[in-house]
Each structure stands twice: as C-alpha cells, then as structure tokens.
Amino acid sequence: MAEKEIVYICKNQTETNFALKQSYRHIILLIFFCISSNALFGTKLTAEKGINQILSEQKTRGTSFVKLFEKYTGSDFTSQTEWIRFLKKLVRQDQVFSEPDYPELCFLIGDRLNDEQRYRDAYYFFYITLCEEKNVNTSDKPYLADFHEDLGHVYYFFRRYDLSEKHLKISLHHPGVSEISKIKIYNTLSLIYRDKQDMKTSEMYLQKAYNQAVKINDEVWMGILSGNLGYIAFTKKENQKARELVEFDFQVSKKNKQPNSELNALALLIELDLQENKIAQATEKMKNLDSLMIRETSPQLLGLLYRTKTSYYEETGEDKKALANFKKYISYKEIMDEERQFLNIKNAEFQIEFEKKQGENIVYKERKKTDNLIIFGLFVICLILGLTSFIIIKQIQHKRFQDKEILTLKAREMEDELSATEREMCALLSTILDKNKVIFELSEQLETAKKNQYTQSDSERETMLNNLQSFLLLTENDWIEFKRLFEKLNPGFFEFFHNRFPEITAAEIRLATLIKLNLSNTEMARTLAISPDSVRKTNLRLRKKLDIESSDDLTRFIKAI
C-alpha cells in the first residue's frame, strides 16, 4: 500500500454563494416564480427583438441603459445563445456606445454572467470596461471596486495569477470596496498563493479573511475559513487546533446546509480520529459520511470519500478493503485530473482566441467616430480614382498601341532575319554542293588518271591534285558559319545533342543537321564529300546511339527537335 496521503479540498467563494442562495431560498423561489410566470404568459425574445425593445424603451422613457438592463434576464430569451447574442449586440449599438455610462453597463453585463459562473462570456464585457473606462485602475467610481474584484476572480479562473492578484489588490484598496468583498478577496489571494505552493503567504491571507469574517460576524464565511485553517493546522501536526477549527466548520456547514463543506469537514475529522487512534469515533463518523454520500455524483467528493475509506481500512487492518477503495480513489482522481487538464486547455484556447480579437471594440469605437470623415474621404477618393483611372486607361491604350506597333516591327524584323538566314543557309549549302561537285569530279578525274597513268603526264596529275586540295568540304570557317546560321533557324539543336547524347561524334552531328534540312542521301553525300555508302553507315551509327531502328524514325526524331 502506498504511503497515506491526505486530500482536503479547499473551499472558495463559489461555495459561499451556494450557501447564501440556500439561506435566501424563499426569495429565490419568489423570483423564480415571477420569471416562470413571465415565461409562461409572455413572449420569448430573440436577440433582434430584445435589441429593438430596449432601444424603444430608452427612446420613450429616457431611462439609462444601465437601469433598463436590470429587468432583462436570460430566461426572457428563447435560448442562452440568443441571450448572449443580445448582450453582445447591445454593447455595439450606436445609442448605447455613445452613453457616458457605457463602461458601467458592460461591467453589469459581465457581473451578471460572472454570478452565473460563465467566466469566458463575462470576460468579454469586462475587457470592454477595462478599455473604455478612463483611469480604470485609479478612479474612485463606486462600481469599479466590484469590477476589479470580479475581474480578479475571472483571471484566477484562467490561472493568470499575476493579473488576478493585481486587480484583487486594486479592489481591496478601493474606497468603495464592501466588507464582505474583503473576505472574498483575501480568500482568493490565499488560493492564488496555495496554487503557487507558497503556503506561508496563503495562510496569511486566509487568516486575514477569517479575521474579516469575525469582524462582520459572517458565520457562513467563518465556517468555511475555519475549515481551511484547520486543514493547514492538520498538515502542521497541530491536531488540537485543527480539531477545534474543523469541528466549528462542520457544525456551521450542517446548520447552513452546505453539503460540500460538511463532507470535507467530516472527512478531515475522521483523519484526525485515525491519527489519534480513536477508531470508535472514526467508525461512527464513517457511517455518517456514507449516509451523506448516498446520492453524491461529484467525482471530487467521491474521490474524497474513497480516500478517507482507504485511510480508515488501513488503520483498522482491513487491507483488501483498503486496496479496493484506493483503486476507486485513484480512478476518480484521474477523472478530476482529466477534467482539470481539459478545462486548462479550453481556457488557454479561449484566451488565445480572445487576444486576437481584443482590439475589436476599440476599433469599432474609432470607426464610428470617423464615419462621416470616411464617407467624405471615400467620395473624394472615388473622384480622384475616377480621374486617375481615366488618365491611366488612356495612357495604357496609348502604350498598348505603341507596344503593338513595336511588336509588329519586331515581328517583321524577325521574319526578315529568318528569311535572310534561310537565304544564307541555302547559299552556303549551294556553295558547299557546288564545291563538293567539283571535288567529286576532280576525284573521278584523279581515279581515271591513276588507271591511265601512261596517258597522263606528271604535270597534269599534279595540277588535278592541287585543284582537289583547294576544295576542302566544310573547312573550319565553313562549319562555324554553317553552325551560326543553322542555330538561328533551329535554336538549341546542338545543345540538345551535346547534353543528352555526348557520345555522338562531330560527323554524326553534321549528318543530323543535314537530315534536319531535309536533304537527300545523295545531297548529303555531296555536301559532306563522302560516298552515299558512307552516309548510310554514319546514319546507322547515329541510329544505334539514339536507339532508333529505322531511317524514317530517325528523320522524324530529328525534325521534332
């Protein structure tokens, strides 16, 4: 069995509100009856109808929106969603926005939602007050004491402890702070430092809250705070002091019908009995605890019950029951941890989203103040834009006309250049063909001379050889000029072969250029000054390197480049 751990749930002002509501249950029932009657015999409102109604009332009666708002409740509307929509639309109305008590109205809306523990919705309206009220942290306006108190509690709910402490202390030193509010503020400050693990400071504020409760003789708060002080005394092994404080909490909670406080106090008294080996008294209290928990569904209180039972059975030596109850305690503890984690995530998401929209109301106010200027400015801008657009359109049309003429001239120049290139290419090819024809004829004459050496003189043979050597096919200058013209007609042709087929020889590339020019084998043979058979062999080598089977496929491939 793990070491015994003591779990005591500290109570805050939420529980006090519950107790106060119980104390005044007759008043609440009366209010509920009135509201129910209105719901039964009146017409439920939508957000739009509610806005129209309150604006009409203000216009007719001249009553401030702060006073008019007091009679509206969420039960007057078709749903809670419509109620929240009504509240948000209300604070955006021009008539409401321009009222001097607009920040106070936003506070009252937030205060109403805060009492209903709708902290996220409340924060929306508190933030407007924070932005709209001048000197919000130093002003002596009476409502600001409650505003800072409420905002401090909301920040505590969001676990933003520094901001919570800041606003609670502003409220504490405000001249309009009430005596009962001081108790709540001290208690929340105690909870802040408890969560920060600063138990010494937490106990100090808790004692201040208790002394304030004694000062105004608030028995409900005295009971709650004595229970919390009793728990601290219990952790410090001051059992006698702890028993007196917790016993007082138990009696007050029982008297004022505060079941949560009663259960917490009873569980701690059982722990005290077990520590002092008062098994009989602990057994009687366990029976009472079981009877109080019969219909309880709260994971928090059920966890407390099974933790206490675990301690009880450990002390009485019933290990199996202790283990069974410990497992149940752990399961409820996990549920509470998951709920706490989920709440923290939701609060973080809300705050991130809210921070993105926090300037919404300030922007809205500024926009309303400058509407007339914007309208006039828009008219002037539209006029300027119209004139500017007309001038720009005319300039664009003129430029387009000039660009069109330039493009036409460029197109003509390109056509002329291509035509000239084609003519040069044709002339060059014609020259090459003529040259090669002469070379071919001279070669034949030379062959004939070799066969008929007896009829040719040495001088004649030498003359023919010199003539032949003077007509070299595609000299370096010829090839450079040829490539220049060919590249103009077929950009990227040579680069294609060099990049993708670097193994292809210069002779094969020359053959490819002539295929591209659609020359026949005979013409290619003459141009290259080789025999038609050599052309076919070069063609075959080229096809193998390009992995092409037929000459027709090679021709199609090269023409597609």
Side-chain angles (χ1 to χ4, degrees), residues 283-410:
T283 301
E284 287 300 316
K285 289 183 178 68
M286 279 299 306
K287 291 178 182 178
N288 189 13
L289 184 64
D290 283 334
S291 66
L292 290 173
M293 295 290 290
I294 289 175
R295 292 186 176 85
E296 188 57 58
T297 59
S298 166
Q300 190 178 41
L301 294 176
L302 288 170
L304 173 67
L305 170 66
Y306 290 118
R307 175 63 261 180
T308 306
K309 281 188 172 186
T310 299
S311 299
Y312 174 76
Y313 287 125
E314 282 180 344
E315 201 64 35
T316 58
E318 300 176 74
D319 293 339
K320 288 185 178 180
K321 289 183 178 181
L323 180 59
N325 282 279
F326 181 73
K327 289 179 178 178
K328 290 181 180 180
Y329 159 69
I330 291 298
S331 67
Y332 281 111
K333 186 175 183 298
E334 288 174 351
I335 291 172
M336 289 187 290
D337 290 342
E338 287 177 2
E339 288 179 350
R340 190 179 300 109
Q341 186 178 12
F342 177 76
L343 180 62
N344 289 339
I345 291 171
K346 293 296 290 183
N347 284 342
E349 289 176 349
F350 167 78
Q351 290 176 80
I352 291 170
E353 184 64 25
F354 189 86
E355 291 299 329
K356 292 179 181 178
K357 299 179 180 179
Q358 65 179 349
E360 178 182 343
N361 292 288
I362 297 173
V363 172
Y364 183 80
K365 180 179 179 181
E366 292 301 321
R367 181 170 57 82
K368 286 297 180 183
K369 286 181 178 179
T370 56
D371 270 352
N372 290 333
L373 288 175
I374 289 173
I375 292 171
F376 177 75
L378 287 174
F379 174 77
V380 173
I381 289 170
C382 288
L383 182 62
I384 293 171
L385 286 176
L387 292 172
T388 305
S389 299
F390 177 77
I391 294 170
I392 290 172
I393 289 169
K394 283 295 184 183
Q395 289 179 340
I396 290 172
Q397 289 176 341
H398 181 67
K399 190 173 185 304
R400 283 180 178 174
F401 178 76
Q402 288 181 330
D403 290 344
K404 188 176 180 180
E405 287 188 333
I406 291 169
L407 288 173
T408 302
L409 290 172
K410 285 184 177 180

Side-chain angles (χ1 to χ4, degrees), residues 31 42 72 86 129 131 165 175 177 188 317 419 437 443 455 495 525 528:
I31 294 171
Y72 286 85
F86 163 74
T129 301
C131 295
E165 183 177 2
V177 65
T188 305
S419 298
K437 183 178 178 182
S443 296
T455 61
E495 185 179 355
L528 297 171

Side-chain angles (χ1 to χ4, degrees), residues 57-107:
E57 289 176 355
Q58 196 276 337
K59 186 176 181 181
T60 303
R61 302 178 189 177
T63 309
S64 70
F65 287 104
V66 169
K67 293 293 183 184
L68 290 174
F69 174 71
E70 292 176 355
K71 74 169 189 173
Y72 286 85
T73 65
S75 60
D76 297 329
F77 291 79
T78 56
S79 67
Q80 282 297 309
T81 302
E82 285 298 301
W83 166 239
I84 298 300
R85 284 187 63 234
F86 163 74
L87 297 176
K88 290 186 176 181
K89 286 175 70 70
L90 177 63
V91 298
R92 289 195 180 103
Q93 299 302 309
D94 289 344
Q95 301 93 312
V96 179
F97 192 80
S98 59
E99 289 292 315
D101 57 1
Y102 174 70
E104 185 177 358
L105 172 65
C106 293
F107 158 70

Side-chain angles (χ1 to χ4, degrees), residues 409-432:
L409 290 172
K410 285 184 177 180
R412 287 176 183 173
E413 287 177 1
M414 288 179 66
E415 287 178 2
D416 293 343
E417 187 176 350
L418 286 174
S419 298
T421 302
E422 287 180 0
R423 287 193 297 272
E424 287 183 51
M425 177 63 75
C426 291
L428 180 61
L429 285 174
S430 178
T431 301
I432 292 170

